[in-house]
Amino acid sequence: QQQVKQSPQSLIVQKGGISIINCAYENTAFDYFPWYQQFPGKGPALLIAIRPDVSEKKEGRFTISFNKSAKQFSLHIMDSQPGDSATYFCAASSSQGTYKYIFGTGTRLKVLA
Amino acid sequence: DTAVSQTPKYLVTQMGNDKSIKCEQNLGHDTMYWYKQDSKKFLKIMFSYNNKELIINETVPNRFSPKSPDKAHLNLHINSLELGDSAVYFCASSRFSNTEAFFGQGTRLTVV
């Protein structure tokens, strides 16, 4: 029940295309769903996050879609750029004192120039 | 000013040795974490501390011992290193358990 399932494992997109990464969770106590971006040799950095009281959040080219009833959320990267090539992790955590972020298995995105 | 800093960035050591990784955050956060990232990039929680108290020990071998001397520091000591301990270890901090977690740059540990 603590897992967050992420797909696909890897993704290749042409420059200007849309990248879509999906995640699913089971634990209904989760109330914070961030997406992290990691470049080689660096630590994960927050890209965008959503809470279950909204169904969508957009920041620039990055959008999270959230479906509470299906327990799924996804990251859309519009107009994908070569600089977006990185590994993306979805995660989930709870305010109920669990003190941990459960990460998905990661998606390696490559955007071709 | 780096928000979460870890030292060293690289650590190469022989099996059986004992080593430590240090972590400091200047964000004023109450909660700090250690995560392990394996060769497949999977990020797994090891420990979390809140206000210097251990909250989570996620079935980590007792060769790993975290220590939090104050809220800004969380160090990781590893005894009797094994080949399987080779990984990247990340320190992180957050204000609450459901707010942004800030990660350090990681420590790449290689046991030979």
Side-chain angles (χ1 to χ4, degrees):
Chain A
Q1 209 185 15
Q2 288 291 316
Q3 280 188 322
V4 176
K5 296 182 180 177
Q6 182 172 347
S7 64
Q9 192 174 0
S10 62
L11 186 58
I12 300 175
V13 172
Q14 293 286 340
K15 179 182 174 182
I18 302 173
S19 305
I20 302 174
I21 306 171
N22 300 301
C23 283
Y25 65 98
E26 295 178 357
N27 189 347
T28 54
F30 289 144
D31 56 10
Y32 178 67
F33 302 90
W35 284 90
Y36 280 82
Q37 181 187 54
Q38 185 180 27
F39 292 104
K42 303 291 184 185
L46 181 70
L47 189 63
I48 186 172
I50 199 167
R51 298 187 189 277
D53 52 343
V54 296
S55 60
E56 186 175 281
K57 185 174 181 181
K58 184 174 181 179
E59 288 182 2
R61 297 184 294 109
F62 302 94
T63 300
I64 300 179
S65 297
F66 185 80
N67 185 328
K68 189 173 180 177
S69 60
K71 291 186 277 188
Q72 294 175 346
F73 57 111
S74 59
L75 176 69
H76 292 62
I77 305 174
M78 312 299 288
D79 186 26
S80 299
Q81 298 296 312
D84 297 331
S85 298
T87 301
Y88 292 80
F89 294 93
C90 62
S93 70
S94 170
S95 58
Q96 295 176 19
T98 52
Y99 295 100
K100 61 182 172 182
Y101 300 83
I102 307 297
F103 282 86
T105 47
T107 296
R108 190 169 291 192
L109 171 66
K110 183 167 186 174
V111 181
L112 303 176
Chain B
D1 238 6
T2 305
V4 181
S5 58
Q6 306 178 217
T7 54
K9 186 169 182 179
Y10 300 98
L11 193 49
V12 181
T13 188
Q14 290 189 324
M15 274 196 319
N17 283 351
D18 302 340
K19 290 294 178 186
S20 291
I21 307 171
K22 295 187 174 182
C23 178
E24 176 182 4
Q25 54 97 1
N26 62 6
L27 298 166
H29 290 163
D30 288 341
T31 307
M32 296 186 72
Y33 313 83
W34 280 110
Y35 276 84
K36 179 179 181 180
Q37 186 170 49
D38 60 23
S39 57
K40 294 185 179 178
K41 297 285 192 181
F42 186 55
L43 278 161
K44 185 171 168 54
I45 182 76
M46 299 174 69
F47 301 102
S48 65
Y49 269 72
N50 184 254
N51 282 320
K52 301 193 302 174
E53 288 197 22
L54 178 66
I55 302 296
I56 286 177
N57 176 343
E58 199 80 354
T59 61
V60 178
N62 57 16
R63 297 182 296 103
F64 290 79
S65 52
K67 278 196 174 58
S68 181
D70 56 57
K71 286 199 308 183
H73 295 85
L74 180 61
N75 304 321
L76 184 64
H77 187 76
I78 315 169
N79 289 327
S80 304
L81 278 155
E82 300 178 357
L83 292 176
D85 297 332
S86 296
V88 182
Y89 293 85
F90 286 102
C91 176
S93 75
S94 67
R95 183 168 299 281
F96 303 112
S97 59
N98 67 337
T99 56
E100 179 180 358
F102 291 80
F103 283 78
Q105 64 180 359
T107 295
R108 181 174 292 276
L109 172 65
T110 304
V111 183
V112 297

